[in-house]
Amino acid sequence: MNESSISAGDLRIRERLANERTYLAWLRTSLAMMAFGLGAAKFGSHNEVYAFSAGGVLVCAAIAGFGYATVRYRALNQEVTRGRVVIGSSTHGPIAAAMVLVFAAFIALILLVR
């Protein structure tokens, strides 16, 4: 099947599935970060305050990542339904969200090493 014979319905299905795969990847990342945060809070450094703080930072970042992914997934799904995708063409949101997650992991690492 060549590209010219793909219908608009097929393209919408592809876009929805791609959106869902991206959403699941964000959820997987958020859950992993949350598990790491809970583990850091439970088994972290010898100083309980720093371990608890590191775990709290990671869990909060994971919740924020989960919330961002859900909002973006729903908005992009609505755009695909309407046939005009605007949100998916911008990379500023995902880059900012990824930087927040990396920054939170870095802060947690500093707190755990302390």
Side-chain angles (χ1 to χ4, degrees):
M1 177 153 60
N2 59 20
E3 288 294 322
S4 62
S5 66
I6 296 176
S7 70
D10 290 340
L11 289 176
R12 282 199 179 127
I13 290 171
R14 282 184 178 185
E15 288 174 349
R16 283 184 188 275
L17 292 174
N19 187 29
E20 189 169 330
R21 282 191 301 272
T22 303
Y23 179 62
L24 292 174
W26 276 98
L27 292 183
R28 198 171 43 244
T29 302
S30 295
L31 286 174
M33 184 165 261
M34 188 175 289
F36 183 66
L38 293 173
K42 179 74 175 168
F43 306 110
S45 67
H46 299 293
N47 190 338
E48 288 181 17
V49 173
Y50 288 125
F52 186 74
S53 298
V57 166
L58 290 174
V59 168
C60 288
I63 291 170
F66 178 76
Y68 170 76
T70 302
V71 168
R72 184 172 168 89
Y73 170 76
R74 288 178 180 228
L76 193 53
N77 235 8
Q78 288 177 352
E79 288 184 359
V80 168
T81 301
R82 291 184 192 128
R84 184 167 183 264
V85 177
V86 177
I87 289 177
S89 62
S90 173
T91 59
H92 297 300
I95 289 173
M99 292 302 295
V100 166
L101 294 178
V102 168
F103 184 69
F106 182 70
I107 294 296
L109 180 65
I110 288 173
L111 287 170
L112 288 173
V113 171
R114 208 160 192 191

